[in-house]
Amino acid sequence: HDLQVVRSEDLPADMMESHDLPVDAFATPSGVTKCEAKAMPRKPFGVRWDLVGADLEQDIGALRELRRLDAQALSRHRASAAARRSSAETAEEWQALIDACVSLFAA
């Protein structure tokens, strides 16, 4: 809800923990907001396996699949993710993503 949105400067610096993931964008009833990269804390890298219990791993298929990857497949996956992170989104790509999300949730 719009009333729950606050500026990052108004949050305590130690609020996020090492496993928390900052968002790139969020949606409220009044619209979609893209977060400024300069205001976001650094995103964590990898999975904190020490925080993943057997039940959580069973419930989340992506965790099961990551656990099954061998070293070579995991290396390819990391390289692909790094390439996606380094490619800057254009305004048109960002708008297309917003439009897709809005149409998905409006249905």
Side-chain angles (χ1 to χ4, degrees), residues 31-49:
V32 178
T33 301
K34 184 175 180 180
C35 301
E36 292 184 34
K38 65 180 181 174
M40 285 192 284
R42 199 167 161 80
K43 290 185 178 184
F45 180 79
V47 176
R48 292 278 315 271
W49 290 109

Side-chain angles (χ1 to χ4, degrees), residues 6-83:
V6 296
R7 297 177 328 157
S8 59
E9 304 86 51
D10 295 336
L11 297 173
D14 61 350
M15 182 176 183
M16 290 190 66
E17 297 188 26
S18 65
H19 64 276
D20 288 330
L21 183 67
V23 297
D24 296 316
F26 61 90
T28 66
S30 64
V32 178
T33 301
K34 184 175 180 180
C35 301
E36 292 184 34
K38 65 180 181 174
M40 285 192 284
R42 199 167 161 80
K43 290 185 178 184
F45 180 79
V47 176
R48 292 278 315 271
W49 290 109
D50 58 311
L51 300 176
V52 178
D55 289 340
L56 184 61
E57 187 173 337
Q58 183 61 35
D59 291 343
I60 301 176
L63 291 175
R64 286 193 314 271
E65 294 304 315
L66 279 173
R67 179 82 78 180
R68 291 181 186 142
L69 293 177
D70 61 28
Q72 190 175 26
L74 187 55
S75 179
R76 285 192 307 271
H77 176 73
R78 285 183 174 151
S80 175

Side-chain angles (χ1 to χ4, degrees), residues 81-88:
R84 284 192 307 274
R85 280 193 305 271
S86 67
S87 65

